[in-house]
Every structure is written in structure tokens, then in C-alpha cells.
């Protein structure tokens, strides 16, 4: 038989698609050609495979060799197809077992010396192989740890092409070579930041707990040095640990980015891009290979935008759709890359360009028009998607220099958050949602959990006089349910609704 086939995986976003790698020999002028919509990096696999086979002591047939990547309509990118192409071409020439390679998914880049080099995205690729029913995958030695995080599949760690060929029945000596190293491991995580370090910001700490309990978005405004950044960076510490499924989602995204993944991290991720970040840096993009942006890397965690008013308005408004849907789609010619992006958004901004507007004892030198323009950098539709807006004032010198510590510690806050989320999950057990921040407004306004007319009276009046949009109305309802869960009551009353309305709109409500 002059035709042999094996399998590889093409990634579009975090979705893996099985690709049949089919090699065929014909009695024509020797040539090596790859078809099936490969990109430039994949087209260069011809030379890598040729040199790797030669240096591994494996001879490619000296005939016309055509490799087809099917389905041909699916774009394929990157060098992760090298190993599957080499295996299928060697099997077409009779060097390897056809049955063995047909039952195996091969992922990896080949070096010219025949060693198997690591690639990004192995974890979601192996997930796709399991979903397709495969029981064996060959991956680069440096990617073996992350591939073995996927249950239900045999993972073989390949050091060289000769080693892979020997597994499939080739009579070839296997050299003892040094495996190619993968990405440098992430630095050791910093010590957990404690809320007890925050002095004199009781209202802000409570707002942080409320945001964590319900999965709500938060805007902190105030002068420089008030503690906005200090507060925001302590939010991941009070969030409950990720479940195994959530940790695998986060690890898959890290794998796509190219980070070293050897274990599941149960701590919610925190992404804090610089205010000079572009739209593509925030939401993802790229012309040839679509890369996940900051909102994707913050999936199941926190996206913190410090100095939010310094971001471009276009970049900030690009967050509006992901905040509603919990996902982002990047459209390119011929394909759509989909990424999960369910995150909590924390914005921090100064009241004006100089930061002193409204600060007692400080002089603001900004013209009134500049102050208004600065505030308007956050558009109305984006603000409408924020659940909590809170002004953070500077701490008095007497408290800042005292030895007192805050009343609320991270452990105490985490316990309150876990208890409130447990109540919400119990109430929502027969629905697809688990957090108040995810519940649709129509379910709260029209379903069995609709509040009494007396309880929602302040909210109805705010909607009638135009102080709230209907989206804002729904967000206040979600916030009120979170306040009820924190208080341990069965349903929000007038007090919870009034406080939620104040947190949403402040004194302007």
C-alpha cells in the first residue's frame, strides 16, 4: 500500500479539530508537496521533515510524495504538524506500521537533527483527541506533563523521530539524545496578599467582598495613593479555588499562550495589562495566527485595568460584548477563532488628569473641560455594565501611620464569599447558572424569584425617571440578591435593593 494516514490537531481558538494527515506515493519525478490549506510555517515542514528523517537514519522514498491535510477547507497553522507528516510519509514508504499510526494522534515540531521540539496548545489538542475517541497521543517530551493532565488517553513523550518510528515498528537504532527543553517555568507565585494590610477603607473592602460573592464588575475611582490598586490586587485571594474543570480551562489557555503547564493551578488568574495596550492585546487577534488577549488569559479570574481612563476608548469599548457573553470571537478570512472570556472586570481611575479634583487640601489644575473629557473616556454603555461604582478617598495621616490593621482579613472574606456563593448555587441548582452575576435579568424580573412591589419600589422609581437603563435595572437586581446571600436572608428586601442601587449609581440614584 502506497497510502498511509495518521492524525494531528488544528486549533482555532481553544477548539481543536482532528486533521487526517494522508501521505501518498506515486511513480513520478521525486517531489515532496503538502496540500490542504497549510500556512507558510507548515509549508516549510517539507525541509524540516526531510532533514529530520535523514539525520534519524530513516530514508524517505525517492518518489513523488503528496501529503494531504484533511479537511482541506480548514486552515492549518504552525509547526505542530511536522511529526504527523513525517510519520505518515515513512509509513507510506513501508517503514512503519499503517495500523499503529492510524490509531495515534501525533503532535510536535521536528528539529533538523531529528529531535522533537515542543509546541504551544498541546493541552487543548489532546482534549480534542480524547473527544474524538483516540486512546493514544504522541507529544514532545517537554509537553508531556501538560498532556497527562487530560484523563482517558495514553500519552507517549517523544524525544526524537527515531524513537517514534521505533514505537511504530521501524527497525532503526534509537539514539540517546538530550530532550529539547520547553518554556521556562513560571516564576514562583508571590505570597498571597492579605486584606488586613488595607487600613481605613472599610467600605471599599466590603465592596470587594460583594463583588467576589456575586461575580460583579467594579469601578474604583479616587485620587492617587488612595489604595485602588492595593484593593484590586487582593481580589483573587478572596475568590474560591477553581474547580478541576475551571482549572483545566485556565491551563488550556496558558498552553495556547505557550506558558509551561505541568500542574493545575486552583488560584484564579489576575491579568493587569498596561494602559497602552491595543485592542488586539486586550481581546486577542493576529493576522496569521490568532492569539488570545488579556480578557482570555483572565478567564475564570480577574481583569484589572489600572488607570482605566488612560486606555484608548476603542479598546475599552471592545470589552462590552465579552462582558455580556463571556466569550470573544475573532473573525479572520476563512475561519472564526472562539475563546472563553468569563472574567470579573475591575477598573481603577483618577478623578481627573492631575488626580487632585475633589481632594480636600489639594489643588486641581485641570480645566473643567479636561475633567469632563477624562471622565467620558469610560463610555456610558461600558459604565452601564459595571455593577458597583465606588469612590475611594485617601486615608487620614493618623490612621495611615498607626499600627492598626484592618478588621477584615483575606481568610475571613474568603469564608464569607464561599458561604454566599453556596447559598446562590443552592438557589440556582436547577438552572445553568451558579453566580448572581450570570443570571439573566428576565429570569429575575419575570420568574418565580421576582421581588415584591414594595421591595423593588426604589428601583422602579429610578427606572421611571431615567436614572437607570433596563440593563442597569437588571444589574441592581443581581447585586441585591448577592447582598441577600451575604446577609443570609432568603430574598432581597427594601434595604438590600436600596443599598444595591446606591452601589450601582451612588448618590446620583
Amino acid at each position: 500500500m502506497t497510502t498511509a494516514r495518521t492524525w494531528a490537531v488544528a486549533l482555532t481558538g481553544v477548539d481543536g479539530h482532528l486533521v487526517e494527515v494522508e501521505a501518498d506515493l506515486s511513480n513520478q519525478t521525486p517531489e515532496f508537496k503538502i496540500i490542504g490549506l497549510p500556512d507558510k510555517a507548515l509549508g516549510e515542514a517539507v525541509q524540516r521533515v526531510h532533514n529530520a528523517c535523514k539525520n534519524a537514519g530513516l530514508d524517505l522514498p525517492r518518489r513523488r510524495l503528496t501529503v494531504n491535510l484533511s479537511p482541506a477547507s480548514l486552515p492549518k497553522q504552525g509547526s505542530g504538524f511536522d511529526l504527523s507528516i513525517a510519520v505518515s510519509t515513512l509509513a507510506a514508504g513501508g517503514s512503519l506500521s499503517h495500523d499503529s499510526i492510524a490509531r495515534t494522534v501525533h503532535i510536535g515540531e521536528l528539529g533538523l537533527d531529528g529531535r522533537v521540539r515542543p509546541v504551544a496548545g498541546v493541552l487543548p489538542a489532546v482534549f480534542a483527541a480524547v473527544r474524538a475517541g483516540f486512546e493514544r497521543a504522541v507529544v514532545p517530551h517537554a509537553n508531556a506533563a501538560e498532556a497527562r493532565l487530560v484523563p482517558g488517553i495514553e500519552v507517549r513523550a517523544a524525544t526524537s523521530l527515531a524513537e517514534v518510528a521505533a514505537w511504530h515498528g521501524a527497525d532503526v537504532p534509537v539514539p540517546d539524545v538530550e530532550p529539547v527543553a520547553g518554556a521556562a517555568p513560571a516564576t514562583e507565585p508571590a505570597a498571597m496578599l492579605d486584606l488586613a494590610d488595607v487600613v481605613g477603607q472599610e467600605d471599599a473592602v466590603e465592596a470587594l467582598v460583594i463583588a467576589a460573592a456575586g461575580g460583579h464588575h467594579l469601578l474604583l475611582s479616587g485620587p492617587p495613593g488612595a489604595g485602588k490598586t492595593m484593593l484590586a490586587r487582593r481580589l483573587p485571594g478572596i475568590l474560591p479555588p477553581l474547580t478541576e474543570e475551571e482549572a483545566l480551562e485556565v491551563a488550556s489557555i496558558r498552553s495556547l499562550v505557550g506558558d509551561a503547564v505541568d500542574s493545575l493551578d486552583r488560584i484564579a488568574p489576575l491579568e493587569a495589562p498596561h494602559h497602552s495596550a491595543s485592542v488586539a492585546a486586550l481581546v486577542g487577534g493576529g493576522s496569521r495566527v490568532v492569539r488570545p488577549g488579556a480578557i482570555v488569559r483572565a478567564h475564570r479570574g480577574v481583569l484589572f485595568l489600572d488607570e482605566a481612563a488612560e486606555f484608548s476608548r476603542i479598546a475599552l469599548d471592545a470589552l462590552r460584548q465579552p462582558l455580556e457573553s463571556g466569550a470573544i470571537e475573532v473573525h479572520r478570512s476563512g475561519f472564526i477563532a472562539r475563546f472563553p472570556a468569563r472574567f470579573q472586570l475591575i477598573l481603577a481611575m483618577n478623578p481627573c488628569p492631575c488626580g487632585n479634583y475633589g481632594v480636600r487640601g489639594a489643588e486641581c489644575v485641570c480645566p473643567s473641560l479636561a475633567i469632563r473629557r477624562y471622565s467620558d473616556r469610560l463610555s456610558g454603555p461600558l459604565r452601564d455594565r459595571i455593577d458597583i461604582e465606588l469612590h475611594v478617598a485617601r486615608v487620614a495621616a493618623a490612621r495611615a501611620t498607626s499600627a492598626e490593621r484592618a478588621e477584615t482579613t483575606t481568610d475571613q472574606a474568603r469564608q464569607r464569599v464561599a458561604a454566599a456563593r453556596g447559598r446562590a448555587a443552592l438557589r440556582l441548582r436547577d438552572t445553568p447558572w451558579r453566580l448572581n452575576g450570570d443570571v439573566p435579568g428576565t429570569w429575575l424580573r419575570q420568574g418565580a424569584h421576582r421581588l415584591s412591589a414594595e421591595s423593588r419600589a426604589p428601583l422602579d422609581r429610578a427606572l421611571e425617571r431615567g436614572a437607570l437603563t433596563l440593563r442597569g435595572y437588571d444589574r441592581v437586581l443581581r447585586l441585591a440578591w448577592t447582598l441577600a446571600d451575604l446577609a443570609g436572608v432568603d430574598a432581597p428586601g427594601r434595604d438590600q435593593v436600596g443599598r444595591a442601587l446606591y452601589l450601582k449609581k451612588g448618590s446620583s440614584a
Side-chain angles (χ1 to χ4, degrees):
M1 182 184 296
T2 60
T3 302
R5 56 180 56 85
T6 188
W7 298 87
V9 180
L11 295 172
T12 54
V14 292
D15 298 323
H17 308 275
L18 268 294
V19 173
E20 186 179 32
V21 182
E22 184 181 29
D24 180 73
L25 292 177
S26 59
N27 293 320
Q28 298 180 27
T29 304
E31 186 184 7
F32 193 162
K33 189 172 185 180
I34 298 176
I35 60 176
L37 211 58
D39 70 344
K40 182 174 177 59
L42 187 46
E44 293 172 347
V46 170
Q47 195 61 49
R48 290 194 298 272
V49 169
H50 184 276
N51 286 58
C53 289
K54 179 180 179 181
N55 291 319
L58 299 160
D59 293 328
L60 287 174
R62 297 186 59 81
R63 295 157 64 182
R64 184 181 180 88
L65 184 57
T66 304
V67 175
N68 180 42
L69 308 176
S70 179
S73 59
L74 177 71
K76 294 98 181 166
Q77 298 101 12
S79 56
F81 291 83
D82 289 3
L83 187 58
S84 59
I85 292 171
V87 165
S88 63
T89 55
L90 290 170
S95 301
L96 309 184
S97 166
H98 287 234
D99 292 338
S100 178
I101 70 167
R103 298 193 303 269
T104 307
V105 175
H106 295 86
I107 304 165
E109 176 185 335
L110 288 177
L112 299 182
D113 58 357
R115 291 190 297 173
V116 182
R117 306 180 66 85
V119 294
V122 166
L123 187 57
V126 175
F127 263 119
V130 171
R131 288 194 296 267
F134 285 89
E135 298 179 353
R136 183 170 61 193
V138 175
V139 303
H141 185 276
N143 296 125
E146 66 176 281
R148 291 188 175 118
L149 295 174
V150 183
I153 190 168
E154 176 193 356
V155 174
R156 292 193 176 183
T159 302
S160 65
L161 177 59
E163 183 179 27
V164 177
W167 290 340
H168 293 303
D171 184 14
V172 60
V174 179
D176 185 14
V177 298
E178 184 72 19
V180 179
T187 57
E188 288 296 322
M192 186 64 68
L193 302 174
D194 202 305
L195 277 175
D197 299 330
V198 181
V199 177
Q201 298 289 4
E202 289 81 6
D203 289 344
V205 170
E206 184 63 18
L208 209 63
V209 172
I210 296 168
H216 303 292
H217 308 305
L218 174 64
L219 168 62
L220 299 172
S221 63
K228 303 184 296 295
T229 302
M230 187 178 188
L231 286 160
R233 289 192 175 276
R234 280 156 176 76
L235 178 57
I238 66 176
L239 295 175
L242 300 177
T243 65
E244 183 173 358
E245 181 181 355
E246 292 169 343
L248 281 169
E249 291 178 7
V250 173
S252 294
I253 294 168
R254 289 175 53 206
S255 176
L256 273 178
V257 174
D259 292 346
V261 179
D262 53 12
S263 62
L264 295 182
D265 191 350
R266 299 303 179 98
I267 300 175
L270 171 68
E271 285 291 321
H274 191 261
H275 58 74
S276 61
S278 64
V279 175
L282 277 181
V283 303
S287 58
R288 184 173 58 87
V289 178
V290 176
R291 306 285 292 178
I295 67 171
V296 180
R297 298 193 300 273
H299 178 61
R300 301 296 182 186
V302 178
L303 177 67
F304 174 43
L305 301 186
D306 201 1
E307 305 295 346
E310 300 294 340
F311 283 79
S312 76
R313 184 160 179 169
I314 296 175
L316 289 174
D317 283 343
L319 302 176
R320 286 155 51 179
Q321 181 266 330
L323 284 173
E324 293 288 336
S325 64
I328 182 68
E329 292 185 351
V330 181
H331 293 248
R332 290 294 179 267
S333 178
F335 71 98
I336 300 174
R338 296 178 177 86
F339 297 100
R342 191 164 295 282
F343 57 91
Q344 277 187 256
L345 177 64
I346 308 296
L347 301 172
M349 62 180 291
N350 297 329
C352 67
C354 78
N356 290 327
Y357 179 69
V359 179
R360 181 181 302 176
E363 181 184 1
C364 177
V365 297
C366 304
S368 58
L369 183 59
I371 295 173
R372 181 165 185 173
R373 284 177 175 172
Y374 194 77
S375 177
D376 288 346
R377 296 291 287 273
L378 269 62
S379 66
L382 179 61
R383 280 182 178 267
D384 208 25
R385 289 165 168 82
I386 303 298
D387 302 294
I388 302 172
E389 294 189 23
L390 186 72
H391 178 76
V392 183
R394 284 177 180 160
V395 180
R399 298 194 67 181
T401 57
S402 69
E404 73 171 292
R405 286 174 65 83
E407 297 178 359
T408 303
T409 66
T410 290
D411 286 341
Q412 293 169 343
R414 190 187 303 116
Q415 292 173 14
R416 291 183 60 200
V417 169
R421 286 195 175 201
R423 293 188 188 97
L426 183 63
R427 183 177 64 254
L428 301 171
R429 61 186 179 276
D430 296 327
T431 72
W433 316 292
R434 290 297 174 266
L435 291 177
N436 292 320
D438 298 334
V439 179
T442 52
W443 193 84
L444 294 175
R445 282 185 275 111
Q446 303 171 7
H449 290 81
R450 184 185 182 190
L451 301 184
S452 66
E454 181 183 358
S455 296
R456 67 174 191 273
L459 192 54
D460 290 343
R461 287 197 300 270
L463 182 63
E464 287 170 0
R465 70 174 186 263
L468 280 179
T469 65
L470 188 57
R471 178 187 287 117
Y473 185 101
D474 293 341
R475 292 195 173 275
V476 173
L477 282 178
R478 298 180 185 122
L479 198 54
W481 276 102
T482 298
L483 291 169
D485 290 332
L486 283 167
V489 297
D490 293 335
R494 194 182 181 94
D495 290 344
Q496 283 80 28
V497 172
R499 189 179 178 202
L501 186 59
Y502 177 82
L503 288 171
K504 170 63 179 170
K505 299 296 290 184
S507 57
S508 65

